[in-house]
Amino acid sequence: MVTTYNLRASNNATFRWTRDLSQWAAVYNLSAATIRMQARLSPLASAPIAYEWNSANSNGGQVAFNSMTNLAVFAAPLADMLSMSKALYYDCRLEFTGGAAVILFSGHILWTQGLTRASTDGAAVGTSGIGDTVSVDGEISAATVPLPLSLTAAVAAAQAAAASVTASGLATQIAALPKAERAALFQSLIASAEVYSGSGPAPVPTGEAFINDSNFVVVAK
């Protein structure tokens, strides 16, 4: 059964898409085959080729296969992507000496129309310093999405405030207990508290209880 990957790419960005071919490497010698991915305006074989990625290419659409990791990187230069506008149908296959061919996957490519153009847009692939610019419908990126700096600061402030409220609230509740109950609580906590033999406050804000000299100390996280 042929796997379907429906792709989304941009016509104002270098094309880079990484795919793990391990499931096929377990059956075929991928290093002995040419990996060819062709895209057309129609799924019909008679339709002219709109673009091709090929592991034998030294320019244009290229496929770099690493036999150690079984990862294949499909890449194309920015200059070639500028003319992409209509949806393309594609398939990718292995081609062996003697004419045998095996389909790996197929689908369509939808293009996001960008506006940025530069006179320096060239024909070089040059993708070693960038991550994938192509996404697959239905797949979620594993990359961590950082919060904007303003939200990061707000979250940190909220966490600090919550920790402060928790610590002060605990101290208030203990202070409100009758003396006999405070003593009983102190004695019950001694058995489970980590003993810190130094002087002054506990050195690390762990949220744990410490016995410091003769005082019981709770340090907020």
Side-chain angles (χ1 to χ4, degrees):
M1 181 175 179
V2 178
T3 303
T4 299
Y5 297 124
N6 293 323
L7 310 182
R8 293 181 182 271
S10 176
N11 72 343
N12 65 338
T14 304
F15 189 102
R16 179 186 172 95
W17 180 43
T18 304
R19 194 74 338 202
D20 187 350
L21 305 185
S22 295
Q23 60 178 309
W24 295 283
V27 180
Y28 304 105
N29 181 4
L30 303 188
S31 297
T34 296
I35 302 174
R36 187 191 306 272
M37 185 168 82
Q38 289 184 340
R40 305 169 188 252
L41 290 173
S42 165
L44 298 177
S46 58
I49 298 171
Y51 202 76
E52 177 176 299
W53 292 259
N54 193 319
S55 60
N57 283 350
S58 57
N59 51 48
Q62 301 174 34
V63 184
F65 175 68
N66 186 325
S67 59
M68 299 297 293
T69 62
N70 290 325
L71 295 180
V73 177
F74 297 78
L78 175 56
D80 289 2
M81 300 297 98
L82 300 180
S83 61
M84 300 297 178
S85 58
K86 298 180 180 179
L88 298 177
Y89 298 85
Y90 81 93
D91 64 24
C92 180
R93 71 185 192 183
L94 300 176
E95 298 176 349
F96 295 91
T97 302
V102 176
I103 298 294
L104 301 181
F105 44 81
S106 63
H108 61 245
I109 307 175
L110 299 181
W111 299 93
T112 299
Q113 302 302 307
L115 299 176
T116 304
R117 298 291 184 271
S119 59
T120 56
D121 291 346
V125 170
T127 58
S128 60
I130 65 173
D132 281 4
T133 60
V134 178
S135 62
V136 180
D137 285 354
E139 291 187 0
I140 300 175
S141 173
T144 301
V145 179
L147 287 171
L149 291 178
S150 58
L151 288 182
T152 302
V155 169
Q159 290 174 334
S164 176
V165 168
T166 299
S168 62
L170 177 59
T172 300
Q173 293 176 36
I174 293 175
L177 292 173
K179 184 176 181 179
E181 292 185 21
R182 290 203 310 271
L185 175 62
F186 179 77
Q187 292 298 328
S188 66
L189 289 173
I190 287 177
S192 61
E194 180 180 347
V195 176
Y196 169 53
S197 60
S199 60
V204 180
T206 60
E208 301 294 334
F210 288 85
I211 301 171
N212 181 10
D213 296 333
S214 60
N215 298 315
F216 176 73
V217 180
V218 177
V219 183
K221 292 182 180 179

